[in-house]
């Protein structure tokens, strides 16, 4: 059970985001704007350090003219919305089926050991976390992980080292361009 | 080389851009479809024998003919791109490489269904594919293939892409519609079917990406041409996502009707096993379908050659057969533990159950717990029967097929690999390490080595004597006597 608290932080609502909301709402028939909810939540989450505070959810409810509870129930249902602050680089390893067959567990152990965390934990500098998630639909390219919007496939310990180095140097893209 | 319908132009550079795609004959089917009567297109699809590629294999033409055209309410076509079945990754490949083919298929199919507002629902994890599709749709609008009065025909169509946020259940068509309406993805009770009451209460057809991508070819070449490919009621080509312990994992387009053995062993497709370890089992259609042991994979129980068709794969029912499903072909070699895989899949279904029906919500949790216990060496013999009992109580007792999908892999694993479950109960110490079967072949012959110790020891004694005698330069006669 997640305890939702108001953070008091300033919500980052950009002009680009508001324009995007208007565009997304126009895709659905009159009176069915709620359909745009899932996509709008993704966009707002991208602008706000990859998580949704209660203010963020209330803001979306206001933009779509629906009740806040309708946003809360959606956010709590879908796994891609984070209700708590997360690490900047969240390594989401697929651990289902083929990825397990092709040794993702060894790779997760390796990564955890290298970063000094357990699965589900965040490093003390808030940069990295390691997480096992269910099938990401890249079974032929296993083992793989998702970082931001992108997939990193056919991973080996060497590739993992390089990826962590790139993250530390800030060279890794997280959000795909509109 | 087999015939290619979908992947014919996949290796053309920049095929994802409008100009290149158009130069390869793209969007011709829209021009043709606009001149045809909508019902004639439906008839062509019926003639083609095309079956839904999402897993259930329901004839597409028939599904289309169910849509309510009489009531005069607006109709919708929704493309199900929420591909999340473990083992299946073909739709992502198609959309990434050929986004315009999907847009073209959506337009042609919408014309057939007389729909004026259509959507593509893509899973949230494929965010970069979502952007690719958005770009492709914008290009189609800019070139007059979407919007008001398409190419002067008087037909209007709006097509949009929208995304989910990580829920396997949204691949079920009524859950997908709920999610598309901006709600939690809880499946609806059927009937009424979406063809009567679907998106926003209007008649709706939900089709898989691959199904929709087959439509332009059928419109251009006719349903009869399509029906010529394949065997019996399995017509056309099918994309198979091959993964697991094989040499070349990837997405392959096959003509339905090639043999399973050819698919696994031929260099054109999977290329045989990854290492020299033998094939142990195979899940031929995504994680939900029953697993097949090696002896039932290439041959059916009647000793006929098993083919890559809907019928042949299902030969023998669930007792000795399986399903082609969504085409997620996972191959296991003898290093893989079936109990571990069953636990892994049960964990997946437990995580993805929406929680609406109690048999599934509670049952998947129990399946996960009991398989975990067996896999980690804490189980007992009754647990195997308990598992069987739980899966029997889930199957058929839920609103949507997720419950069945959770039950079938467990049932098949027990049916074909009960000895492995029993092994886990009998030798709990041996299964503590998660790679227990990787070490297994050596473990099995280790005790035989003890039998060899005595002869080796005797040999060494004799050899030592021989050396000593040579060293002391004894007579040859004496040496022979010694032996």
């Amino acid at each position: 059970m997640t305890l939702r608290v108001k953070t008091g932080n300033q919500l980052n609502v950009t002009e680009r985001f508001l324009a995007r909301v208007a565009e997304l709402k126009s895709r659905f028939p009159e009176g069915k704007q709620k359909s745009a909810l899932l996509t709008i939540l993704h966009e707002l989450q991208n602008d706000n350090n990859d998580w949704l505070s209660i203010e963020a959810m209330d803001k979306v409810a206001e933009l779509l003219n629906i009740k806040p509870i309708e946003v809360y129930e959606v956010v709590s249902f879908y796994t891609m919305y984070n209700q708590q602050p997360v690490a900047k680089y969240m390594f989401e390893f697929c651990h289902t089926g083929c990825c397990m067959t092709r040794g993702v567990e060894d790779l997760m152990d390796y990564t955890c050991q290298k970063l000094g965390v357990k699965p589900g934990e965040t490093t003390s500098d808030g940069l990295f976390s390691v997480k096992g998630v269910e099938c990401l639909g890249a079974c032929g390219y296993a083992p793989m992980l998702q970082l931001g919007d992108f997939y990193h496939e056919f991973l080996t310990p060497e590739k993992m080292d390089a990826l962590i180095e790139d993250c530390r140097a800030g060279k890794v893209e997280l959000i795909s361009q509109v | 080389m087999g015939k290619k319908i979908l992947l014919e132009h996949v290796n053309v550079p920049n095929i994802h851009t409008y100009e290149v795609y158009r130069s390869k004959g793209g969007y011709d089917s829209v021009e043709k479809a606009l001149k045809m009567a909508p019902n004639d297109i439906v008839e062509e699809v019926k003639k083609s024998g095309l079956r839904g590629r999402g897993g259930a294999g329901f004839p597409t033409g028939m599904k289309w003919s169910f849509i309510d055209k009489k009531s005069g309410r607006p109709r919708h076509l929704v493309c199900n791109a929420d591909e999340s079945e473990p083992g299946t990754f073909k739709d992502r490949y198609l959309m990434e490489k050929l986004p315009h083919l999907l847009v073209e298929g959506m337009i042609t199919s919408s014309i057939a269904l007389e729909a004026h507002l259509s959507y593509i629902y893509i899973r949230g994890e494929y965010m970069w594919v979502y952007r690719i599709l958005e770009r492709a749709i914008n290009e189609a609008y800019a070139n007059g293939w979407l919007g008001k009065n398409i190419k002067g025909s008087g037909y209007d169509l709006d097509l949009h892409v929208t995304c989910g946020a990580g829920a396997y259940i949204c691949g079920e068509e009524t859950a997908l519609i709920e999610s598309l309406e901006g709600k939690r993805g809880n499946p609806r009770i059927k009937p009424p079917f979406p063809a009567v009451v679907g998106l926003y209460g209007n008649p709706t057809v939900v089709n898989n990406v691959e199904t929709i991508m087959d439509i332009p070819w059928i419109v251009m070449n006719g349903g009869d041409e399509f029906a010529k490919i394949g065997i019996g009621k399995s017509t056309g080509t099918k994309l198979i996502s091959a993964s697991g312990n094989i040499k070349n994992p990837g997405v392959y387009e096959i003509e339905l009707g090639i043999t399973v053995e050819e698919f696994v062993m031929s260099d054109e497709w999977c290329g045989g096993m990854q290492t020299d370890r033998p094939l142990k089992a195979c899940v031929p259609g995504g994680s939900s379908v029953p697993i097949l042991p090696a002896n039932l994979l290439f041959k059916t129980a009647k000793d006929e050659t098993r083919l890559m068709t809907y019928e042949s794969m299902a030969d023998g029912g669930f007792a000795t057969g399986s399903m082609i499903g969504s085409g997620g072909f996972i191959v296991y070699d003898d290093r893989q533990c079936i109990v571990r895989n069953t636990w892994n899949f049960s964990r997946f279904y437990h995580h993805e159950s929406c929680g609406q029906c109690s048999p599934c919500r509670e049952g998947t949790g129990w399946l996960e717990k009991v398989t975990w216990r067996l896999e980690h060496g804490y189980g007992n013999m009754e647990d195997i029967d308990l598992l069987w009992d739980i899966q029997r109580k889930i199957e058929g007792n839920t609103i949507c097929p997720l419950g069945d999908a959770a039950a079938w892999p467990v049932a098949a694993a027990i049916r074909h690999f009960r000895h492995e479950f029993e092994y886990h109960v009998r030798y709990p110490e041996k299964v503590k390490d998660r790679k227990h079967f990787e070490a297994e072949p050596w473990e099995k012959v280790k005790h035989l080595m003890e039998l060899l110790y005595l002869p080796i020891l005797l040999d060494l004694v004799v050899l030592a004597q021989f050396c000593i005698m040579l060293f002391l330069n004894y007579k040859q006669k004496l040496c022979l006597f010694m032996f």
Side-chain angles (χ1 to χ4, degrees):
Chain A
M1 185 74 197
T2 316
L3 187 67
R4 293 196 194 88
V5 275
K6 294 215 177 200
T7 55
N9 290 348
Q10 194 63 42
L11 193 62
N12 180 19
V13 182
T14 57
E15 285 299 313
R16 190 201 65 78
F17 170 72
L18 291 175
R20 180 88 175 135
V21 169
E23 195 234 323
L24 288 170
K25 275 162 81 175
S26 74
R27 291 182 181 181
F28 300 95
E30 199 55 45
K32 307 289 181 196
Q33 276 77 7
K34 196 186 166 187
S35 291
L37 177 59
L38 272 71
T39 321
I40 290 175
L41 285 170
H42 275 298
E43 299 274 344
L44 191 62
Q45 185 167 275
N46 285 346
D47 287 350
N48 286 281
N49 302 323
D50 210 16
W51 75 287
L52 293 165
S53 60
I54 197 153
E55 288 94 338
M57 291 187 262
D58 289 347
K59 180 74 189 168
V60 173
E62 182 197 315
L63 286 169
L64 286 172
N65 201 14
I66 53 176
K67 293 191 185 71
I69 182 69
E70 292 179 76
V71 183
Y72 302 161
E73 66 168 12
V74 163
V75 169
S76 61
F77 184 84
Y78 296 94
T79 49
M80 284 181 77
Y81 301 127
N82 303 312
Q83 298 178 62
Q84 256 149 22
V86 291
K88 187 173 182 202
Y89 299 103
M90 189 157 54
F91 295 135
E92 293 180 300
F93 287 91
C94 168
H95 65 187
T96 316
C98 294
C99 286
M100 189 194 69
T101 309
R102 288 225 168 200
V104 78
E105 287 157 321
D106 295 343
L107 201 67
M108 269 177 86
D109 286 352
Y110 175 80
T111 314
C112 285
Q113 207 182 358
K114 190 174 162 74
L115 295 172
V117 289
K118 288 197 188 99
E121 287 178 359
T122 306
T123 50
S124 52
D125 56 2
L127 267 186
F128 298 101
S129 69
V130 179
K131 200 175 151 191
V133 296
E134 300 299 342
C135 188
L136 292 170
C139 317
Y141 320 116
M144 57 80 63
L145 66 82
Q146 184 175 25
L147 182 57
D149 285 355
F150 296 100
Y151 283 9
H152 297 264
E153 291 155 346
F154 294 120
L155 290 173
T156 55
E158 295 76 47
K159 277 193 183 175
M160 227 31 250
D161 290 345
L163 184 61
I164 291 170
E165 281 312 306
D166 284 352
C167 287
R168 288 221 166 97
K171 283 194 282 187
V172 176
E173 211 181 336
L174 288 177
I175 295 163
S176 57
Q177 295 305 311
V178 180
Chain B
M1 285 292 277
K3 189 155 181 65
K4 298 271 183 284
I5 288 179
L6 299 175
L7 302 185
E8 197 184 347
H9 298 305
V10 77
N11 290 324
V12 176
N14 292 326
I15 190 74
H16 64 278
T17 60
Y18 173 77
E19 287 74 25
V20 178
Y21 182 73
R22 181 77 177 119
S23 71
K24 291 285 169 195
Y27 290 98
D28 284 353
S29 74
V30 178
E31 282 177 339
K32 192 174 174 190
L34 283 169
K35 290 181 194 126
M36 288 167 78
N39 281 338
D40 290 350
I41 306 175
V42 178
E43 283 308 312
E44 282 301 322
V45 175
K46 268 189 187 170
K47 262 193 264 173
S48 74
L50 172 66
R51 294 169 69 167
R53 303 296 197 223
F58 191 79
T60 308
M62 203 185 286
K63 195 176 196 177
W64 285 12
S65 65
F66 290 154
I67 195 168
D68 174 15
K69 286 187 176 177
K70 289 186 198 115
S71 68
R73 281 178 297 161
R75 285 170 293 275
H76 304 292
L77 171 67
V78 178
C79 173
N80 183 349
D82 189 73
E83 167 185 69
S84 6
E85 177 93 359
T88 314
F89 48 98
K90 65 188 171 67
D91 295 347
R92 168 209 161 175
Y93 179 81
L94 283 172
M95 291 186 289
E96 215 176 347
K97 301 276 181 186
L98 301 161
H100 279 285
L101 181 57
L102 180 60
V103 176
E104 184 184 354
M106 285 299 285
I107 302 171
T108 315
S109 312
S110 297
I111 293 169
L113 296 165
E114 297 171 76
H116 299 290
L117 181 58
S118 300
Y119 292 102
I120 300 169
Y121 179 97
I122 189 166
R123 69 182 295 191
E125 285 91 340
Y126 291 172
M127 195 44 93
W128 82 103
V129 187
Y130 171 86
R131 311 282 186 213
I132 291 172
L133 287 175
E134 235 178 10
R135 264 197 293 279
I137 289 173
N138 287 341
E139 282 178 323
Y141 266 108
N143 289 285
W145 297 105
L146 285 169
K148 294 257 177 282
N149 193 12
I150 296 170
K151 298 285 165 190
S153 65
Y155 177 74
D156 307 336
L157 174 66
D158 279 309
L159 173 64
H160 298 294
V161 55
T162 178
C163 70
Y168 169 73
I169 189 65
C170 292
E172 201 275 337
E173 58 179 7
T174 54
L176 187 148
I177 289 170
E178 285 281 306
S179 180
L180 186 45
E181 291 180 0
K183 301 177 196 154
R184 293 165 79 94
N186 288 338
R188 296 175 181 170
I189 294 172
K190 294 189 264 190
F193 287 92
V196 183
V197 182
L199 183 63
Y200 309 132
N202 297 329
T204 307
V205 165
V206 182
N207 278 137
N208 181 255
V209 172
E210 197 191 336
T211 318
I212 286 181
M213 284 186 171
D214 275 327
I215 303 297
W217 196 91
I218 293 172
V219 169
M220 288 312 289
N221 300 281
D224 292 328
E225 273 307 300
F226 191 85
K228 278 181 198 161
I229 312 165
I231 293 175
K233 284 184 179 171
S234 303
T235 58
T237 62
K238 168 111 186 72
L239 260 72
I240 303 287
S241 332
S243 59
N245 301 120
I246 46 169
K247 212 165 266 170
N248 313 317
V251 179
Y252 299 104
E253 183 168 13
I254 58 157
E255 281 184 39
L256 286 169
I258 67 167
T259 64
V260 178
E261 187 163 10
E262 188 191 344
F263 181 70
V264 178
M265 295 306 174
S266 153
D267 283 337
E268 195 184 338
W269 320 110
C270 298
M273 301 304 287
Q274 183 186 13
T275 56
D276 53 0
R277 305 295 284 261
L279 194 152
K280 177 179 185 177
C282 173
V283 176
S287 66
S288 309
V289 309
I291 193 168
L292 284 178
N295 61 329
L296 286 172
L297 182 62
F298 298 152
K299 298 262 185 206
T300 64
K302 291 179 226 150
D303 209 30
E304 291 161 359
T305 311
R306 204 183 278 281
L307 308 174
M308 297 290 273
T309 63
Y310 289 92
E311 291 78 26
S312 180
M313 217 35 124
D315 190 90
F318 278 2
T320 57
S322 186
M323 281 165 79
I324 205 160
S326 57
F329 201 87
I330 315 172
V331 180
Y332 299 110
D333 65 21
D334 73 341
R335 286 174 299 176
Q336 305 303 329
C337 170
I338 300 300
V339 183
R340 192 169 182 79
N341 271 287
T342 313
W343 162 60
N344 190 290
F345 285 152
S346 297
R347 181 179 64 187
F348 173 80
Y349 288 109
H350 182 209
H351 183 261
E352 300 296 349
S353 174
C354 79
Q356 206 180 188
C357 321
S358 354
C360 171
R361 181 186 61 233
E362 306 299 325
T364 50
W366 279 106
L367 287 180
E368 190 202 336
K369 280 178 202 153
V370 178
T371 45
W372 183 89
R373 193 156 74 187
L374 283 163
E375 160 62 19
H376 291 83
Y378 304 108
N380 52 43
M381 286 298 173
E382 287 81 51
D383 281 347
I384 305 169
D385 298 322
L386 179 64
L387 270 185
W388 186 264
D389 193 44
I390 299 169
Q391 68 82 16
R392 279 283 301 276
K393 281 171 182 160
I394 301 175
E395 193 189 347
N397 293 328
T398 53
I399 291 175
C400 82
L402 190 137
D404 304 345
W408 291 341
V410 175
I414 299 176
R415 195 180 289 125
H416 298 303
F417 294 96
R418 195 182 175 101
H419 56 276
E420 226 162 86
F421 284 85
E422 286 172 1
Y423 177 89
H424 278 71
V425 177
R426 281 210 189 96
Y427 305 102
E429 286 312 311
K430 285 192 177 182
V431 296
K432 285 279 189 280
D433 177 18
R434 68 178 177 226
K435 289 181 180 166
H436 43 272
F437 280 109
E438 256 173 62
E440 189 59 8
W442 167 244
E443 291 289 326
K444 272 178 186 156
V445 292
K446 211 171 163 185
H447 64 280
L448 294 174
M449 287 305 290
E450 288 162 20
L451 300 175
L452 293 174
Y453 291 161
L454 197 63
I456 289 173
L457 203 67
L458 281 173
D459 270 13
L460 283 175
V461 170
V462 171
L463 199 68
Q465 281 181 337
F466 186 64
C467 291
I468 292 164
M469 276 182 270
L470 279 181
F471 183 70
L472 296 174
N473 208 2
Y474 267 67
K475 282 177 187 172
Q476 206 182 4
K477 212 173 173 181
L478 188 64
C479 287
L480 286 172
F481 172 74
M482 287 291 288
F483 289 104

